[in-house]
Amino acid sequence: MASTHAAIRHATRQDVPTILGLIQELADYEKASSSVKATVESLTRTLSHADPSDPSNPDKFSKGYAKTLLVTDPDGTVAGMALYFYNYSTWTGVPGIYLEDLFVKEAYRKKGYGVLLLKQLAKEVLKVDGKRLEWSCLDWNEPSLQFYQSEKIGASKKQEWVGLRVEGDKLKKLAES
C-alpha cells in the first residue's frame, strides 16, 4: 500500500544515479549545466551512503565526505535532495552542518518538501549537539532567498562574510608553493 505522506531517508549507493540527475537538474536551474563534472563513479567514491543491510543501525554509513537526504513523494518518485557535510565552528566549539545543495524538482515544489528536508537537517545538527546549519544561495535566486528567510525556515542572510574559493590551477599552485 502506498503512503499518503512524503518520506525522507538517507541515500544508499543505489541512489547515486538519481543524485547525479538531481545535481544536473539543479545546474540547469542555475544556468550552469556545463559546470557539472561529477559522475556516477565520482559520487559513488566520495559520498557516504546509508547501509540498508542493517535496519537496526540507521546510523551505519560507508566512508565518504558528504551525505544525501532524499525526499520521496507518496507516488514513490524521488522529488528532491539535500546534500550536506559536517563542519566545525571554533567560536561555538561544536560541529554543525553545511548544506551544499538543496533541490526539489519543479513538479514537486510548493508541497513543503524543502521544509521537510531542512527540518531533517536541523535534527541532524541537534543529533551531534551542533549549533549551526549553514548554506549559500546565489544572490539572483530571489524565490529561494525568500523561502530561506521566511518564518518557516528563519534563516538570516550573512552580510559581513564574503565567500572565497581557490580552485583549478590556482589550487595546484598553492599546494605546490
Side-chain angles (χ1 to χ4, degrees):
M1 185 163 134
S3 169
T4 58
H5 301 290
I8 293 187
R9 64 177 174 81
H10 275 101
T12 65
R13 189 174 305 278
Q14 289 71 33
D15 293 311
V16 170
T18 300
I19 294 167
L20 181 57
L22 290 165
I23 291 169
Q24 189 61 58
E25 282 187 61
L26 173 59
D28 293 345
Y29 173 78
E30 293 182 350
K31 299 167 186 54
S33 299
S34 63
S35 296
V36 176
K37 306 298 182 217
T39 64
V40 167
E41 293 77 23
S42 68
L43 294 175
T44 300
R45 187 178 68 255
T46 58
L47 291 178
S48 182
H49 313 286
D51 183 354
S53 68
D54 187 1
S56 67
N57 188 359
D59 293 325
K60 187 174 181 186
F61 287 85
S62 66
K63 284 185 181 179
Y65 301 99
K67 295 178 180 178
T68 310
L69 286 169
L70 297 175
V71 61
T72 306
D73 192 68
D75 69 8
T77 304
V78 173
M81 70 168 185
L83 197 145
Y84 70 98
F85 54 90
Y86 296 95
N87 59 11
Y88 188 84
S89 168
T90 55
W91 288 13
T92 64
V94 296
I97 284 181
Y98 185 83
L99 172 60
E100 179 66 22
D101 286 323
L102 177 72
F103 181 72
V104 176
K105 292 179 181 184
E106 189 172 358
Y108 295 94
R109 292 183 191 149
K110 308 272 188 230
K111 292 186 171 195
Y113 294 171
V115 174
L116 288 174
L117 287 164
L118 288 167
K119 277 182 166 182
Q120 186 59 43
L121 283 173
K123 290 176 185 177
E124 295 292 322
V125 172
L126 295 177
K127 191 170 19 172
V128 296
D129 293 325
K131 300 281 184 203
R132 295 180 180 164
L133 172 58
E134 298 180 278
W135 64 94
S136 298
C137 183
L138 290 166
D139 60 1
W140 59 259
N141 192 346
E142 205 51 47
S144 292
L145 287 168
Q146 287 177 12
F147 167 66
Y148 295 142
Q149 294 175 88
S150 70
E151 231 175 273
K152 278 185 184 175
I153 306 304
S156 57
K157 202 171 171 181
K158 294 194 282 184
Q159 301 295 327
E160 324 64 56
W161 295 87
V162 176
L164 299 167
R165 178 182 294 165
V166 179
E167 60 186 347
D169 291 339
K170 291 179 181 179
L171 179 66
K172 188 173 181 181
K173 183 180 175 184
L174 177 61
E176 293 172 349
S177 65

